[in-house]
Amino acid sequence: MLLKITSLSAFDKTEIVHYYNNETNEIFDAQLKEVDVAALTGIEKKPYKTCDRALFPIKKTRSLSKLKIQLGLKCNFNCSYCAQAESRHLSKSDSLGDAESFIASLCREELSIKPGGRIEFWGGEPLVYLKTLKKLIPALRDMYPETEMHIITNGTLLTYELVDWFIEHRVSLAVSHDAQGYCLRDLVDPLTVTRIKNVWLYANQKFREAGLSFGFNVVITRANCDLLRVYDYFQRHFSPETNFGFEGIVQPSTPCDILSEKDAETLEIHIKYILLYHQEQFKSITDSVNKVLRALATKRPISMVRARCEAPNSDVLVVDLKGNVISCQNYSHATHKIGELSNYDNILSAQFRHWKHKDIGCKDCVVVQFCKGGCPLQNDENCINDNIFHLAIFKTAWFLLFQADIQKIENFESL
Ligand code: SF4
Ligand code: SF4
């Protein structure tokens, strides 16, 4: 799809016209002469092997890059926009499998974790399942002594003793916290509760000393789209040495979660300012813009774009303690079971839908190369937040290339 992109020069406010091909990542000027983005950015050109990533693998391999263990979907919070909210009621009455038989199944199947791979523990809220974790983690540490282990938690159940215990077993932690946007989760921000804040400060120091990561994962919502304040928030309410990154934008569960035009404008302005003046403080946003620049400079073909996340990959396995293999940790086995550990060769990873086969217009979308069609388990017409976020990143990359603000994007083929 060829798109006509009209922008306004930051210098003299004149209109500039370019054409962008979302399949080849090529940009042409108004005379249809190709723009050499590699020369403009100093990014090295890179040949891509011809490949078609339009199909997802069906089988799972025994050599894994990621093993995600879903402990259960229970949580001590009830955040309005939780990606697991729909599945939670389905697993309410589920009894948990036991850690011993789970470990025995892993041994029997001889699953290995590749160098650089990792094991993740997922809830719900993983610390609700502390008794299970206490059995599981030491056993897994014996089996996979070198493998990175990681937990994403809301952090409210963390204690000093647990911090020490996680460090002893070399499990890194990320606390899910949306800075000034926390008000959409709960009335009481844990950073205002002295007991919790002190434990987090202790963790911040101890994990750092142990060479393990500890930080905050922030989801962008309408309550924190003024991203520059996120840095100030953690500086003021937590520590000058806060490590945080963005997990992306909230997937709307209700119309309230959708960013308004004004929110989108705020997000765009803040991302642009971050790239111009605050790259050091906002590494994950800077990385996202750099990825766009790299894709444009190397002219990454759309055939290289597979999926938003790694869940469809053959070497990523999501499993619960009963040995149910699930397509993604955010869903219950009741709806998303794709096989069983005990019948490994017959796991059928068939629930994913490639963006090419979605009927929501991904092919014609200006940000398809970066949004990658959204969640591969959804054919979600309501991708407006994804569109807002990726467009803000794309517009910032455009500004860095041409010092011009995008005003209009039109389908050139239908003009
Ligand atoms: S923003 Fe929507 S249409 Fe565009 S690629 Fe993402 S999911 Fe597809
Ligand atoms: S399939 Fe991927 S994008 Fe969809 S909910 Fe799971 S991890 Fe997120």
Side-chain angles (χ1 to χ4, degrees):
M1 163 76 64
L2 200 60
L3 297 145
K4 180 181 175 189
I5 298 186
T6 309
S7 53
L8 216 53
S9 163
F11 299 119
D12 55 14
K13 302 291 171 208
T14 52
E15 272 197 355
I16 309 174
V17 169
H18 286 98
Y19 298 93
Y20 167 62
N21 185 330
N22 73 349
E23 290 174 37
T24 60
N25 261 324
E26 291 167 306
I27 300 175
F28 304 91
D29 67 14
Q31 286 72 46
L32 293 179
K33 187 169 165 279
E34 192 183 337
V35 176
D36 188 345
V37 179
L40 276 182
T41 55
I43 296 171
E44 214 176 303
K45 288 186 180 163
K46 161 178 167 187
Y48 287 95
K49 286 187 198 138
T50 20
C51 83
D52 188 1
R53 307 185 83 200
L55 292 174
F56 292 135
I58 293 290
K59 298 284 183 189
K60 297 286 180 187
T61 58
R62 281 187 159 73
S63 169
L64 301 171
S65 67
K66 232 172 233 183
L67 171 64
K68 298 184 177 196
I69 301 173
Q70 196 207 63
L71 302 159
L73 293 175
K74 283 188 195 143
C75 184
N76 58 334
F77 272 54
N78 192 18
C79 305
S80 59
Y81 60 81
C82 178
Q84 298 179 335
E86 270 179 42
S87 300
R88 184 155 296 129
H89 74 277
L90 293 170
S91 66
K92 248 184 194 159
S93 56
D94 262 10
S95 70
L96 214 63
D98 71 277
E100 287 83 5
S101 58
F102 173 72
I103 294 287
S105 327
L106 280 187
C107 292
R108 194 188 53 238
E109 294 305 322
E110 296 182 348
L111 300 183
S112 64
I113 313 283
K114 294 174 183 172
R118 77 177 186 181
I119 299 176
E120 295 177 351
F121 302 90
W122 285 84
E125 164 50 44
L127 300 190
V128 164
Y129 300 98
L130 191 56
K131 270 191 197 155
T132 309
L133 281 174
K134 289 263 179 163
K135 290 183 194 160
L136 213 47
I137 288 175
L140 287 167
R141 190 37 92 211
D142 282 348
M143 285 170 75
Y144 305 103
E146 302 302 329
T147 300
E148 190 190 323
M149 294 188 186
H150 187 72
I151 293 183
I152 300 176
T153 167
N154 64 36
T156 54
L157 301 173
L158 208 56
T159 60
Y160 294 102
E161 294 72 29
L162 262 180
V163 169
D164 293 340
W165 190 80
F166 282 131
I167 290 174
E168 187 192 332
H169 292 89
R170 302 202 312 288
V171 181
S172 62
L173 288 193
V175 172
S176 210
H177 190 296
D178 301 337
Q180 73 273 23
Y182 201 88
C183 51
L184 291 187
R185 291 190 170 211
D186 198 68
L187 292 177
V188 182
D189 177 348
L191 283 175
T192 63
V193 180
T194 311
R195 180 195 65 78
I196 298 175
K197 180 176 167 177
N198 285 343
V199 173
W200 291 3
L201 284 168
Y202 177 76
N204 199 34
Q205 187 198 333
K206 292 291 172 185
F207 275 80
R208 197 179 297 267
E209 285 169 8
L212 291 166
S213 75
F214 175 86
F216 296 102
N217 277 4
V218 181
V219 175
I220 300 171
T221 66
R222 60 192 162 81
N224 63 6
C225 52
D226 47 349
L227 297 192
L228 288 165
R229 280 190 56 219
V230 169
Y231 176 78
D232 296 336
Y233 194 90
F234 287 128
Q235 289 284 302
R236 210 172 45 244
H237 298 287
F238 188 59
S239 156
E241 287 182 308
T242 306
N243 175 18
F244 70 90
F246 292 92
E247 273 186 63
I249 197 158
V250 65
Q251 301 301 306
S253 316
T254 67
C256 292
D257 298 327
I258 296 174
L259 270 67
S260 67
E261 252 177 61
K262 179 122 190 18
D263 297 330
E265 206 180 297
T266 304
L267 185 67
E268 262 180 49
I269 292 169
H270 279 252
I271 290 180
K272 186 170 153 191
Y273 266 75
I274 284 170
L275 262 289
L276 291 177
Y277 307 114
H278 300 283
Q279 292 196 15
E280 271 304 300
Q281 293 96 324
F282 290 85
K283 291 219 169 61
S284 58
I285 295 290
T286 306
D287 280 356
S288 300
V289 176
N290 284 338
K291 275 184 193 159
V292 173
L293 290 172
R294 210 171 309 122
L296 294 170
T298 59
K299 295 192 272 183
R300 181 184 66 197
I302 203 159
S303 57
M304 296 297 296
V305 174
R306 181 184 274 163
R308 153 74 54 86
C309 68
E310 61 205 356
N313 295 359
S314 57
D315 63 353
V316 172
L317 188 78
V318 182
V319 64
D320 68 16
L321 293 183
K322 283 183 168 170
N324 294 309
V325 178
I326 313 164
S327 46
C328 159
Q329 71 281 350
N330 288 330
Y331 292 89
S332 156
H333 68 89
T335 51
H336 286 74
K337 179 170 170 170
I338 55 171
E340 289 178 6
L341 263 189
S342 57
N343 193 6
Y344 205 87
D345 294 331
N346 288 318
I347 296 169
L348 273 186
S349 180
Q351 285 171 328
F352 297 107
R353 190 178 312 193
H354 196 278
W355 61 266
K356 264 192 177 172
H357 308 299
K358 291 189 176 190
D359 48 23
I360 55 173
C362 296
K363 277 189 237 164
D364 302 340
C365 177
V366 66
V367 292
V368 62
Q369 288 254 5
F370 315 106
C371 171
K372 303 182 179 180
C375 171
L377 283 173
Q378 310 264 352
N379 189 35
D380 198 349
E381 283 163 26
N382 202 357
C383 61
I384 185 159
N385 279 0
D386 274 334
N387 196 279
I388 286 170
F389 175 67
H390 290 286
L391 203 52
I393 297 282
F394 184 82
K395 283 182 172 180
T396 300
W398 202 265
F399 184 85
L400 296 180
L401 285 176
F402 303 116
Q403 291 75 53
D405 290 301
I406 292 181
Q407 303 294 307
K408 212 171 8 168
I409 301 175
E410 299 161 281
N411 175 351
F412 182 60
E413 286 154 29
S414 65
L415 283 179

